Amino acid sequence: LTSSWPNSLSEAVWFRVTTDSDGGIGPSIVSLKAVSGETGLCLSASPSLVETASFALTAGSFAEPPRVLKSLSIFTGNSNRALAEEICKFVEIPLGRSDVTHVSDGEIYVEIGENVRGVTCFVVQPTCSPPNQALMELLIMIDALKRASAGSIVAIVPYFGYARQDRKAKPRTPITAKLVANLITAAGADRACALDLHAGQIQGFFDIPFDHLFAMPVLIEELRVLGFGGESTVVVSPDAGGVERARAFSKRLGASLAIIDKRRPAPNVS
């Protein structure tokens, strides 16, 4: 919106209203229109939400130009805060304000400390050890953002806990990876992202868009910098399930491939 002024003011003046009905910062950008002499009237695009106020103007004094409203925020729980801070540093935005604590009986309490209405929110939370606490923090943060009217919510789970329980290895056992996918979807996530899943078919457990990323390009480059590669290097797969990934590493490094015959007589025992 531009403003109409007497001849003494030739440039348009912008003003941002910062008081809304609940005392927060209003997003409306409004115009100032000359009424008489040096008096300007603040006209809001949302009169029902933003207070009307008058301001004294002098020739040559112009208000701050409109700032770009934030389009995304990145939040994190207690699982790996350092990772989220590094991501924010890379994309040059501050880490979203949130409080993730425990109450006296051990329950997890989450409070989002900023306005996220209409904002695309990323929740960076690997569900690594302890997986149950990390998972609950992720679910509760997603629910808090959904109830705060976030525009969309993306769950960034670099380490996807319970991924190894992706099939029924024995009778009367669960497929917990599918359960976790259902929980993330039911909590309110609009999209999910994970890194190097234990099995690619886990993507099909989600009923929302899912991005499966791979660390191989970054790791290959780092290994080459460290001097690995060629005939003097051997890439070892720890079991039959990792052969495909190990073969891809060995091919790109020009290295040999070895496979370990691993057997599990009991869960988590090899």
Side-chain angles (χ1 to χ4, degrees):
L1 300 175
T2 57
S3 304
S4 301
W5 301 97
N7 295 333
S8 59
L9 294 178
S10 59
E11 296 186 46
V13 175
W14 292 83
F15 194 87
R16 180 183 295 276
V17 172
T18 58
T19 303
D20 57 20
S21 59
D22 60 3
I25 297 178
S28 301
I29 298 175
V30 300
S31 63
L32 295 176
K33 185 176 181 180
V35 177
S36 60
E38 296 179 347
T39 301
L41 179 64
C42 173
L43 302 177
S44 169
S46 304
S48 61
L49 297 179
V50 186
E51 298 176 357
T52 301
S54 60
F55 301 88
L57 300 176
T58 58
S61 65
F62 297 93
E64 177 186 0
R67 294 171 292 177
V68 177
L69 299 177
K70 67 177 181 180
S71 59
L72 65 89
S73 289
I74 299 176
F75 296 91
T76 186
N78 298 318
S79 182
N80 195 336
R81 187 176 183 86
L83 173 62
E85 290 174 346
E86 286 295 321
I87 293 174
C88 290
K89 185 185 299 184
F90 183 81
V91 298
E92 298 180 343
I93 65 171
L95 184 63
R97 298 193 303 273
S98 62
D99 188 19
V100 184
T101 58
H102 290 79
V103 296
S104 58
D105 63 353
E107 294 178 359
I108 297 171
Y109 175 77
V110 172
E111 182 176 358
I112 305 301
E114 60 186 70
N115 182 14
V116 295
R117 184 179 296 274
V119 176
T120 299
C121 297
F122 295 82
V123 183
V124 181
Q125 179 78 344
T127 52
C128 50
S129 181
N132 296 337
Q133 176 175 315
L135 178 60
M136 282 304 301
E137 287 184 3
L138 172 63
L139 298 176
I140 296 174
M141 290 194 74
I142 292 174
D143 184 74
L145 291 168
K146 180 182 68 173
R147 298 179 188 280
S149 301
S152 63
I153 304 170
V154 184
I156 307 295
V157 191
Y159 177 85
F160 188 80
Y162 291 101
R164 291 185 293 178
Q165 300 184 41
D166 59 347
R167 60 189 178 90
K168 285 177 65 71
K170 295 181 180 180
R172 299 177 297 280
T173 57
I175 303 179
T176 316
K178 170 60 176 173
L179 173 62
V180 172
N182 289 343
L183 290 171
I184 293 175
T185 303
D190 299 292
R191 195 179 195 94
C193 175
L195 186 69
D196 284 323
L197 288 171
H198 181 257
Q201 62 265 26
I202 292 177
Q203 301 174 70
F205 292 169
F206 285 83
D207 296 325
I208 56 177
F210 188 93
D211 294 306
H212 186 199
L213 304 183
F214 299 92
M216 182 182 296
V218 178
L219 295 177
I220 290 290
E221 185 64 29
E222 184 65 19
L223 289 172
R224 286 173 176 163
V225 170
L226 295 175
F228 293 101
E231 297 180 356
S232 61
T233 302
V234 178
V235 179
V236 181
S237 173
D239 54 27
V243 171
E244 182 179 355
R245 184 178 294 114
R247 184 185 294 115
F249 270 89
S250 65
K251 181 179 179 180
R252 286 164 175 76
L253 290 172
S256 302
L257 173 67
I259 304 170
I260 296 177
D261 180 19
K262 183 178 70 176
R263 304 179 184 183
R264 290 189 181 276
N268 211 32
V269 177
S270 60

